[in-house]
Amino acid sequence: MYDPDKRKIFSALCHGAIFFSTLFMSVGIPIAMLFIANDPVVLENAKESINFHLNVWIYGIIITALLWLTFGLLFPLVFLGYALHWGLTIWAIASVLTKPDQPFRYPFIFRVI
């Protein structure tokens, strides 16, 4: 039997790590969870969080390229990107805290791991 409080904290930490930094350091928390956690739900949440990090970086590169190509005309995409990024992360944290026995799955992302 797995401790539900640890499961909630570790799962929320995996998803919330993206708020710590938009640099590559924030992905270190879910990667570390892959090595230290033995709870299958926490492991699934860590994998999903890593996939979300990768997607955020890829979409950030695409939005930046579009901004350069259009001389900033598509600047509202930045706000849309951040709204989706923050909104999905808050949704993930709320989900793992209210349903700790079920891993969260982000919609519309590419899963590499």
Side-chain angles (χ1 to χ4, degrees), residues 14-112:
C14 285
H15 292 288
I18 204 157
F19 286 136
F20 295 142
S21 170
T22 55
L23 300 175
F24 297 110
M25 296 180 299
S26 63
V27 76
I29 292 173
I31 289 173
M33 287 295 170
L34 287 176
F35 293 105
I36 63 172
N38 60 358
D39 186 335
V41 174
V42 173
L43 294 174
E44 284 301 312
N45 280 313
K47 289 177 190 174
E48 191 71 6
S49 177
I50 292 168
N51 284 323
F52 186 64
H53 274 82
L54 295 173
N55 278 261
V56 166
W57 295 334
I58 290 168
Y59 291 134
I61 290 168
I62 292 169
I63 289 172
T64 302
L66 287 173
L67 284 174
W68 279 96
L69 291 172
T70 63
F71 301 107
L73 291 176
L74 296 178
F75 191 71
L77 281 179
V78 173
F79 296 110
L80 178 65
Y82 272 108
L84 284 171
H85 165 226
W86 284 46
L88 288 172
T89 304
I90 291 169
W91 181 23
I93 293 170
S95 178
V96 298
L97 292 176
T98 56
K99 295 182 270 183
D101 296 330
Q102 179 180 356
F104 182 78
R105 301 272 297 176
Y106 289 99
F108 310 116
I109 69 168
F110 300 106
R111 289 174 177 81
V112 180

